Amino acid sequence: APPRLTLVSADGEAIARSGAIIDAPVRMADLPPQVKQAFIAIEDRRFESHWGIDPRGIARATWANLAGGGGRQGGSTITQQLAKITFLTPERSLSRKAHEVLIAFWLEARLSKDEILERYLSNVYFGNNLYGLRAASMRYFYRQPEKLTLAQAAMLAGLVQAPSRLSPATNPKAAAARAQMVLAAMADCGFITPAQAMATSPARLDMGRVREANLPNGTYFADWAMPQARDQAVDVLENKNGALAPGAHQQFGKAAGNLVLATQYATAVD
């Protein structure tokens, strides 16, 4: 994920942000059961019993893709997805897929199922530059993941398939429809009853109270300042060997001062 960078004015007011929004990792022991159940039901319903890959899931996805008519489906388990987002690039090739499978076997041998799920939920992408369940839960519902309701858990679990297209911030109808699919999958797995699935209304967003959530990702000044800020940070903080450069703190302070002066100027001319 790209590092997060926030631009502030001379008086310390945040004016724009860019990059990933990441929060503290989650622990399965602290999460309500519906969170685990929602993600397993929609992403990998044989998660508790497979050993890294799911031959039945792969066969189902292959048949669905050959039949067509419902969008492309994936056969990757949660363990494979963790391998991909943690160790591999987004490249699509047989070689990368083989590496993904080998890493999935290694993860299953090294970690417990809860440890795999914790790492997955703490790193998976939820759209809008949000990485990890806690960041997504706070952004969309202003709620810690330990207090997520059934409806909220279903909506967040539904985002993983297509985070941008299904974002509740930009496409609430699609997000609600996907959440209903998650609830139906939970009922099919026996985690909830069909009556509960039908009776659960779509989760309502609460995005106004997260202050930085309302900061723009791009303005004419932010678009000019962000690349310079990143370049100066890299130039100042690293030498050719990747170590901290002598006098880096003083140089970075000077570079930051130049950006603050530019911010003051941009504010004055607006």
Side-chain angles (χ1 to χ4, degrees):
R4 187 178 183 184
L5 180 65
T6 301
L7 292 181
V8 298
S9 63
D11 60 1
E13 184 74 15
I15 59 174
R17 66 166 170 78
S18 175
I21 301 172
I22 303 171
D23 213 321
V26 297
R27 295 181 67 251
M28 295 310 302
D30 298 332
L31 295 176
Q34 60 262 25
V35 173
K36 178 178 181 177
Q37 293 165 355
F39 281 89
I40 287 178
I42 198 65
E43 287 295 317
D44 185 3
R45 60 179 59 193
R46 282 175 288 277
F47 173 72
E48 295 287 0
S49 60
H50 67 61
W51 26 271
I53 66 170
D54 180 9
R56 289 172 61 187
I58 294 172
R60 173 195 50 77
T62 302
W63 175 257
N65 292 333
L66 290 174
R72 186 168 183 81
Q73 296 189 25
S76 294
T77 64
I78 284 176
T79 313
Q80 287 177 267
Q81 292 181 53
L82 176 61
K84 180 168 60 177
I85 63 180
T86 306
F87 298 103
L88 301 171
T89 67
E91 170 200 6
R92 291 191 175 186
S93 67
L94 290 176
S95 174
R96 191 205 61 80
K97 195 67 176 179
H99 284 122
E100 178 186 299
V101 170
L102 291 174
I103 294 171
F105 289 156
W106 178 80
L107 288 170
E108 289 279 348
R110 185 179 179 86
L111 303 173
S112 69
K113 289 291 186 178
D114 274 359
E115 288 173 332
I116 291 171
L117 203 52
E118 285 172 350
R119 285 160 173 76
Y120 170 77
L121 292 176
S122 297
N123 290 280
V124 71
Y125 184 54
F126 287 92
N128 290 302
N129 285 334
L130 299 164
Y131 290 83
L133 182 64
R134 192 173 305 278
S137 180
M138 289 299 297
R139 174 70 171 92
Y140 292 127
F141 305 118
Y142 196 65
R143 178 174 293 214
Q144 294 293 347
E146 291 81 5
K147 297 182 178 180
L148 285 170
T149 66
L150 173 60
Q152 292 165 343
M155 183 166 285
L156 290 175
L159 296 183
V160 175
Q161 182 193 59
S164 298
R165 179 171 58 84
L166 298 173
S167 169
T170 56
N171 198 349
K173 289 185 178 180
R178 177 67 175 170
Q180 200 59 48
M181 290 180 61
V182 175
L183 292 167
M186 293 177 72
D188 192 45
C189 291
F191 295 138
I192 60 175
T193 66
Q196 283 178 291
M198 293 293 294
T200 302
S201 301
R204 296 182 61 181
L205 301 186
D206 184 2
M207 302 174 62
R209 289 188 284 174
V210 181
R211 184 169 171 270
E212 284 202 12
N214 298 315
L215 291 178
N217 287 313
T219 62
Y220 79 93
F221 172 69
D223 290 343
W224 169 82
M226 288 290 188
Q228 297 196 53
R230 291 189 188 280
D231 291 344
Q232 289 187 35
V234 171
D235 292 341
V236 168
L237 294 178
E238 292 185 354
N239 60 23
K240 292 182 180 179
N241 296 321
L244 189 66
H249 295 92
Q250 292 85 349
Q251 294 179 51
F252 189 73
K254 182 179 179 181
N258 291 338
L259 284 174
V260 166
L261 289 175
T263 305
Q264 290 175 316
Y265 174 77
T267 303
V269 299
D270 274 349

